[in-house]
Amino acid sequence: QVQLVESGGGLVQAGGSLRLSCAASGRTSGRTFNNYNIGWFRQAPGKEREHVAAIASVGPYTVYGDSVKDRFTISRDIAKNTVYLQMNSLNPEDTAVYYCAASWDWAGLLTKYENWGQGTQVTVSS
């Protein structure tokens, strides 16, 4: 029901920052995108997929995984039909492919996601 695309990944030195974007792609309209709850996940080499953060489609509700809390900030710009993940104080452990995902239902960190983007690589050098 929704197609997503991530952008903003790249190579950054430890202690640096990146801002990832998640937006509608293909036939999915921005209005449709704004109706979905959006989560950010990451997959590091040899590790399980990790839930990083999520933001609800309505209200100010956000949740964060323990490993990124106080360093990462998720936000939504309704006018731009975009969800951002601001990543500060990056360290090599943050190196991973980052994915955004969409869900019609909201359950905080327990939210089940139906649609996934293709991911964007984030590499943090030490």
Side-chain angles (χ1 to χ4, degrees), residues 38-113:
I38 301 296
W40 282 100
F41 294 78
R42 66 185 183 186
Q43 182 83 58
K47 297 183 178 180
E48 296 182 350
R49 187 178 63 197
E50 179 184 9
H51 195 175
V52 173
I55 187 167
S57 61
V58 296
Y61 309 113
T62 59
V63 293
Y64 297 92
D66 291 338
S67 64
V68 305
K69 193 172 185 178
D70 301 324
R71 296 190 299 121
F72 291 9
T73 302
I74 188 170
S75 62
R76 183 191 296 268
D77 189 327
I78 295 176
K80 295 183 178 180
N81 309 308
T82 302
V83 170
Y84 301 104
L85 183 68
Q86 179 67 46
M87 306 185 296
N88 299 324
S89 301
L90 288 165
N91 56 64
E93 290 72 33
D94 297 314
T95 295
V97 177
Y98 284 72
Y99 302 87
C100 67
S103 173
W104 187 249
D105 297 315
W106 172 257
L109 289 175
L110 299 178
T111 299
K112 305 298 182 182
Y113 293 89

Side-chain angles (χ1 to χ4, degrees), residues 7-20 87 90-92 94-96 98 120-126:
S7 62
L11 176 64
V12 64
Q13 293 183 338
S17 299
L18 285 173
R19 188 179 72 169
L20 306 183
M87 306 185 296
L90 288 165
N91 56 64
D94 297 314
T95 295
Y98 284 72
T120 184
Q121 177 70 47
V122 172
T123 302
V124 184
S125 62
S126 60

